Amino acid sequence: MKNTATLLINCPDRKGLVAAIAEFLYRHNANILHADQHQDAEQNLFLMRVEWDLADFNLSPDGFKTEFAETAKKFSMDWQLNLSSRKPRIAIFVSKYDHCLTDLLYRFHSGELDCEIPLIISNHPDTKRLADFYGVPFHVIEVNKDNKAEAEARQFALLDEHDIDLIVLARYMQVLSPTFVTRYPQRIINIHHSFLPAFVGARPYHRAFERGVKLIGATSHYVTEVLDEGPIIEQDIMRVSHRDQLEDLIQKGRDLEKVVLSRAVRWHVENRILLYSNKTVIFD
Amino acid sequence: MKNTATLLINCPDRKGLVAAIAEFLYRHNANILHADQHQDAEQNLFLMRVEWDLADFNLSPDGFKTEFAETAKKFSMDWQLNLSSRKPRIAIFVSKYDHCLTDLLYRFHSGELDCEIPLIISNHPDTKRLADFYGVPFHVIEVNKDNKAEAEARQFALLDEHDIDLIVLARYMQVLSPTFVTRYPQRIINIHHSFLPAFVGARPYHRAFERGVKLIGATSHYVTEVLDEGPIIEQDIMRVSHRDQLEDLIQKGRDLEKVVLSRAVRWHVENRILLYSNKTVIFD
Amino acid sequence: MKNTATLLINCPDRKGLVAAIAEFLYRHNANILHADQHQDAEQNLFLMRVEWDLADFNLSPDGFKTEFAETAKKFSMDWQLNLSSRKPRIAIFVSKYDHCLTDLLYRFHSGELDCEIPLIISNHPDTKRLADFYGVPFHVIEVNKDNKAEAEARQFALLDEHDIDLIVLARYMQVLSPTFVTRYPQRIINIHHSFLPAFVGARPYHRAFERGVKLIGATSHYVTEVLDEGPIIEQDIMRVSHRDQLEDLIQKGRDLEKVVLSRAVRWHVENRILLYSNKTVIFD
Amino acid sequence: MKNTATLLINCPDRKGLVAAIAEFLYRHNANILHADQHQDAEQNLFLMRVEWDLADFNLSPDGFKTEFAETAKKFSMDWQLNLSSRKPRIAIFVSKYDHCLTDLLYRFHSGELDCEIPLIISNHPDTKRLADFYGVPFHVIEVNKDNKAEAEARQFALLDEHDIDLIVLARYMQVLSPTFVTRYPQRIINIHHSFLPAFVGARPYHRAFERGVKLIGATSHYVTEVLDEGPIIEQDIMRVSHRDQLEDLIQKGRDLEKVVLSRAVRWHVENRILLYSNKTVIFD
């Protein structure tokens, strides 16, 4: 059972930055397990992920906060510390399509996703049996034109009650309100069934089929105010040909959606994602 | 040295179609080497490519035309017969970027592209030395805002003179006039440096970089009146990450553009492409 | 609900072959939905798959057998007729790893695999709960060094009782005896966790990790007498790097194994596979 | 024109390592452009690549050597410093196949490979015209069963005279002697036309075709004493089907070989490759 801390840093690039961080960790007896960094010369940005074993580390999380404050201030750092002992808590939103949900729950169950899933919220009862199989509480909250605000209020209550860190839209067929989106910045992951920015919006497979593309794709991204415009986390494609009819595209697409969403959730859970300029850096 | 005929057929799907075609070829002693067909149930279309050895075949091209007319009429066929003895004649249009031209000429030289390349037309003199190396005549026709019609007239003259079947735009950085496009229906192949329909228009790598995509792509397509909207022949992608800066995207993209354009040209040259509904069927 | 017949043909290539088959089908009023063929010039072989709607077809399966006999004999055809109304009956063999089983059962449940799965046989009880969830009868037959023949006898009894057409080894960690393999020629599909012929035998991920390959793969194949030497049905790979430790290879590999096995099973179920020279032709 | 230094470090992992290196660079006023590191927990190894701008750096190469010695010793580092001002000097060995050579020379010419190529050595005169086109001196040294030692002696003389850092075997169809291999440890890159370890040895495409694989591949690797067993630098694959005959595999394979070799050469030239346990770490 690993017991580690992961630090994500985002700040202007400056000489002495790595020396200061490394020296700080060394001084407090951190045993660094992984470190990865990225410098964006154009924007003069420094982005870093560092993970260390807590066994010999001589600071508590609160102690870290106090002690690191000076370094962080000196270099104008945005930083975030996550402990492996505190698993991220995920709520999955789903409608009727169950392929992404099935995949996520299997990976959760098999230990591949190191998180808690305290609840599933759906606007349909269809996937309840699946949730039961994996022992995840399942809540039906119907959504229609007239009750959207009220439905979201009920969702917020559940999310608050369960102390949710991340919301995963596993083919959830409702558009979230701006209020919802604003409440969870960089904390909602969606799967879109095209290689964005191609086929933004509805019915991407239909449009891909009509356009006669030779590849179909899927894109996982953080949800922002503008539909399908949030920072892309992962994309993948599959080759199609004239032999593939619309239903073949949809079927092949399901396999893409599953893996592209799962990778995004995993990277988020493992604190591997940093955002800047509406883009993601994935420390893999 | 193979001596074959290739027949491409496009017609409404009907019972008895394959029997009629196969019987016709058998009656005239064709030795079928390859046959491939596609039925589009939705549009009730039948598309076929059949290639046979001419050694024992008892019809001349003109004889075929006469004899096949009845069958073709009965089934309302659009059809096209190509002989391997008459190699397609290609004109390559290029500007300054030489990676696609280098690739095409190498494949031509090595025998991978079974065609003639009687000329290269460029609006810049930069690639003349390369053309000379491969022994292909090179014509500079400058194009600017004021002389476009005149320049195209000179191009038409050259294309007519050399009996050109196919025009390949190997990163030719000029938009062809509607007159030009109309003159060569399904006879102009372009390479676009994105996975269309993403990043239609100019500077796709810049926009891909800004959007933070995790894949870059290239698309070869037939040129139609609407820019970047013609039937897609081939697409491919390459994975990129935050480590790739704009220049890396451009460099990786060059490798994509080369192969995606070359495959399209090859398939056209080998009569493997059929068009319907603004889409291509590739009989590979 | 489609009601079709699929004919697979394997015979020496000869003039008149396609004409004879097409004429036969036309004479009996078949409405051809798909036809695909392959000619191997080197071995002078003709391989064909043709699927037609039975709505207007004027022969029963028995009638077909009688009527087609003459044509089949004339051209020395090996042929096989399958009706969509008679779904293939599959037995899945599994041990403890459940990722392939989960994937197969989900695809079966969602209608992607058009087959019956009358039973699962395992040498361990671990996956019983999963089988129950999908409503598939589950049989535990323990296998050890001393009871192999007896265990296989019990397996044969179950396979016979349930009229099984195809056995899928979904990470079944027992080597089948020659008797078993011989009993089901081209009717056992296995998944091997490497891109064969690399890493034939045991512990392929360990060996891939030690060798420092940059790709890992999976291979589905028919089982023959020689371990890992049977005809390959499908292969796929995933990129790995120095950042991937052994457990990462194993985890990434699971995703490969699932899709590579599922594609093979699907193609078999849809009668898309023809064998020759220890190779497969996939009529996709 | 960039003016940078790149430091590659390989040593046992210990606390304080990153702090010591970063502090050293900061003290001498290095402006770090890229830093990447890898920790192998199993083998307790630390591997690092760091590149900095020399503009403000206050040590000469010799000064670096002296000043860094203490740190290096303390942590038992193997280290190597490369300056961008001193371009690696490459000799390309080639026989008759010219696709890899054409590709390498084009990339060299276009500036994609930041190196010098003072000479090409071939056992055949066929590619001389190509070498001339790109202005690279071309030497024919015939090799046969009787003159191998003598031929290699002439090669050594040329390699010494031109101060060669890296030898690229661009489909050079001669096996190098152990003497040759030992003379250039981790300084010879070869391209093998299979996804090693599949199809080690001769005629891999023939064997891939016979085995009926669904993927073909290529592998670039450092040459060691045991044929095809050296550390793998890069691999890639392409999908093939029953429609591909042997010549198609060979033709598709050429496209793989080109890119897989070029990537390896580029990474070597950019000092992105570290070796351990017969494996490569690619700092991309």
Side-chain angles (χ1 to χ4, degrees), chain B residues 138-172:
Chain B
F138 184 86
H139 302 260
V140 177
I141 300 182
E142 280 183 48
V143 185
N144 56 50
K145 283 179 188 166
D146 302 323
N147 79 339
K148 187 151 197 152
E150 178 205 344
E152 290 195 345
R154 291 177 57 199
Q155 292 167 351
F156 294 159
L158 280 169
L159 297 173
D160 288 349
E161 177 190 342
H162 291 282
D163 199 12
I164 293 303
D165 299 300
L166 176 71
I167 295 156
V168 176
L169 307 181
R171 298 299 312 273
Y172 181 62

Side-chain angles (χ1 to χ4, degrees), chain B residues 98-99 102-103 106-107 110 112 129-130 132-134 243 248 251 254-255 258-259 266 284, chain D residues 98-99 102-103 106-107 110 112 129-130 132-134 243 248 251 254-255 258-259 266 284:
Chain B
D98 63 355
H99 54 287
T102 300
D103 190 65
Y106 176 75
R107 291 178 199 273
S110 73
E112 193 179 311
R129 200 175 156 258
L130 180 64
D132 290 349
F133 178 68
Y134 283 110
R243 293 182 199 92
D248 300 307
Q251 180 251 311
R254 284 199 298 260
D255 276 3
K258 285 191 288 195
V259 296
R266 185 174 181 172
D284 56 348
Chain D
D98 63 355
H99 53 287
T102 300
D103 191 63
Y106 176 74
R107 291 178 199 271
S110 72
E112 194 178 311
R129 201 177 155 256
L130 180 64
D132 290 349
F133 179 69
Y134 284 110
R243 293 182 198 95
D248 300 307
Q251 179 251 311
R254 284 199 297 261
D255 276 2
K258 286 190 289 196
V259 297
R266 184 173 183 174
D284 56 347

Side-chain angles (χ1 to χ4, degrees), chain A residues 99-146:
Chain A
H99 53 285
C100 286
L101 180 66
T102 300
D103 190 65
L104 287 167
L105 290 178
Y106 175 75
R107 291 178 199 271
F108 167 62
H109 174 74
S110 72
E112 193 179 310
L113 289 178
D114 195 19
C115 61
E116 305 288 347
I117 305 185
L119 80 163
I120 295 166
I121 293 178
S122 180
N123 53 336
H124 296 286
D126 306 52
T127 58
K128 181 175 189 318
R129 199 174 157 260
L130 180 64
D132 290 349
F133 178 70
Y134 284 110
V136 178
F138 184 87
H139 302 262
V140 177
I141 299 181
E142 280 182 46
V143 184
N144 56 49
K145 283 177 189 170
D146 302 323

